[in-house]
Amino acid sequence: MNIENELAALQQLTTDELRNRYAEVFGEPPRSRHKAYLIRKVGWRLQAIAEGDLSQRARRRAEELAVEAEVRTTPPRDDQPMISATKSVKSALQSDPRLPSPGTSITKKYKGQTLEVRVLQSGFEYDGERFKTLSAVAKAITGSHCNGFRFFKLGGAT
């Protein structure tokens, strides 16, 4: 088997053909449809078959290092959805010690006006609009990006 020719041939295959080739060399279907990933994995496996895989000594050492821990190359498939990024943002928003508790108002004098921003459970309300971050509120007021905590002088920001 000429590895260089095999690798060149892999480049010409479609994603479905690569998935079939992966199944041939690994004995199981791939979980990925990423063409470059499939080319690398199949190429690696073909090289290991042609030139020899890890020695038994190297395999034993790898097993020793793993210390009988479950070693995975891909995360397990769950039927349960993962925690969404919006939930983690909301949690971070709620736990930020610089913010007053939800339901309170932040006031600031700016260009002769008194501004009032209500702190909500999941964001902020200003002038009848909802915002996800305090910086978004400050941008709506000033027209340019600035740190919301600094603009409203919260949490020791000067």
Side-chain angles (χ1 to χ4, degrees):
M1 176 186 320
N2 187 344
I3 294 298
E4 290 177 13
N5 291 341
E6 289 282 335
L7 293 177
L10 291 176
Q11 299 290 335
Q12 306 305 316
L13 298 178
T14 65
T15 304
D16 286 332
E17 292 169 334
L18 282 167
R19 288 175 56 84
N20 291 336
R21 187 73 169 124
Y22 181 100
E24 288 174 22
V25 297
F26 282 98
E28 64 183 30
R31 293 173 67 180
S32 175
R33 295 192 60 83
H34 191 269
K35 188 173 181 174
Y37 169 80
L38 292 170
I39 290 170
R40 283 193 307 268
K41 291 294 283 188
V42 171
W44 172 83
R45 185 68 179 146
L46 291 173
Q47 182 180 358
I49 291 169
E51 298 179 11
D53 208 352
L54 291 175
S55 67
Q56 287 300 329
R57 181 175 176 226
R59 285 185 186 278
R60 278 194 309 272
R61 181 65 179 139
E63 288 175 7
E64 290 171 12
L65 293 173
V67 191
E68 296 183 16
E70 186 177 333
V71 179
R72 297 192 61 94
T73 58
T74 57
R77 286 196 169 187
D78 288 343
D79 290 336
Q80 299 174 351
M82 294 178 56
I83 297 172
S84 68
T86 55
K87 286 184 180 178
S88 61
V89 169
K90 288 179 185 176
S91 300
L93 179 68
Q94 293 167 353
S95 64
D96 195 324
R98 298 174 290 181
L99 287 175
S101 59
T104 59
S105 293
I106 302 169
T107 57
K108 175 184 175 70
K109 285 198 177 261
Y110 180 73
K111 293 190 175 180
Q113 293 181 334
T114 301
L115 308 173
E116 184 175 345
V117 177
R118 257 182 4 126
V119 180
L120 305 174
Q121 190 71 26
S122 61
F124 304 91
E125 183 178 318
Y126 167 71
D127 200 25
E129 284 188 67
R130 289 185 153 211
F131 297 88
K132 287 184 179 181
T133 64
L134 205 51
S135 293
V137 176
K139 183 174 183 173
I141 293 168
T142 64
S144 63
H145 178 75
C146 60
N147 184 304
F149 291 104
R150 179 168 283 171
F151 180 79
F152 288 102
K153 297 183 180 169
L154 296 176
T158 57

